[in-house]
Amino acid sequence: MSDNYDVQQVCENGHQITGCYNAKPEDRQKFCQNCGAPTITRCPDCDADIRGAKYEYIQNWIDARRGSSRFQQLTYPNVPLYCLSCGNPYPWTKNKIITAIQMLTENEQLDEQEKKTIEQDINNIAKDVPQSELSAMRIKRIWEKYGPIAYEAIMEFASRTAAKVLKG
């Protein structure tokens, strides 16, 4: 990982444990307190560290704590969806995508053409690619036709572009 960032620890279901794995070893956990899943600090595909908090922010927080009796919250970066080194989705992103695809394809009312495009559409929605908007429009048509199948699951990982289409 970059010398400018600490490492982030996340459970396999996407719950953040700490964004300061090295700077605050007392916050480390082998298992998630929310769901009991094992935690990781590295990409399972390429073994790169999961980017955590900037060391600059960590140092500012430490300095503020030393100079003030007032507690200051250290904010961590969001849990990332994709690895910065290899571009592959993290386990929690893969699981959300698979769940959304399963929820949609198990609807017996869908025709074969809709079922064929769902997997690619969901993957496009999870990324901010040029096809995201078109994919979101297709999924929205399915929702309008059959009800908001998998709405919450999809909105958890939808790119900003896709989320606007899906909400609007």
Side-chain angles (χ1 to χ4, degrees):
M1 184 53 43
S2 164
D3 291 337
N4 296 325
Y5 294 91
D6 201 334
V7 175
Q8 188 167 176
Q9 185 180 37
V10 183
C11 87
E12 291 178 349
N13 288 319
H15 299 117
Q16 185 179 62
I17 307 303
T18 181
C20 299
Y21 186 79
N22 295 322
K24 295 180 69 185
E26 66 274 14
D27 290 347
R28 297 176 184 176
Q29 297 174 192
K30 288 184 180 182
F31 297 95
C32 180
Q33 64 194 22
N34 295 319
C35 67
T39 60
I40 62 173
T41 58
R42 304 179 76 72
C43 174
D45 293 323
C46 73
D47 206 37
D49 289 335
I50 301 171
R51 183 185 280 183
K54 270 189 150 185
Y55 278 120
E56 171 187 342
Y57 298 145
I58 298 168
Q59 190 57 51
N60 290 343
W61 175 78
I62 291 169
D63 292 345
R65 297 276 320 241
R66 285 185 186 142
S68 169
S69 59
R70 193 178 74 190
F71 177 75
Q72 297 211 352
Q73 183 70 33
L74 175 62
T75 56
Y76 297 143
N78 292 333
V79 173
L81 300 176
Y82 296 88
C83 176
L84 292 172
S85 294
C86 69
N88 289 329
Y90 284 114
W92 47 91
T93 308
K94 285 179 191 175
N95 290 339
K96 287 177 184 177
I97 290 170
I98 289 167
T99 299
I101 291 168
Q102 288 174 339
M103 290 172 77
L104 285 168
T105 56
E106 287 183 9
N107 183 337
E108 295 172 2
Q109 296 175 315
L110 296 178
D111 63 40
E112 287 309 308
Q113 182 60 33
E114 290 167 332
K115 286 181 181 180
K116 283 180 186 177
T117 64
I118 283 174
E119 185 170 351
Q120 186 59 49
D121 286 337
I122 294 298
N123 280 293
N124 287 343
I125 287 171
K127 300 176 180 179
D128 197 7
V129 296
Q131 299 84 2
S132 294
E133 199 168 340
L134 174 62
S135 291
M137 288 169 48
R138 282 199 288 249
I139 295 295
K140 188 174 180 185
R141 273 198 298 271
I142 289 172
W143 289 347
E144 289 169 350
K145 192 173 176 182
Y146 305 114
I149 309 160
Y151 179 83
E152 293 300 324
I154 293 170
M155 291 305 286
E156 283 187 38
F157 62 77
S159 68
R160 286 186 183 139
T161 303
K164 286 179 187 176
V165 172
L166 295 169
K167 287 179 182 176

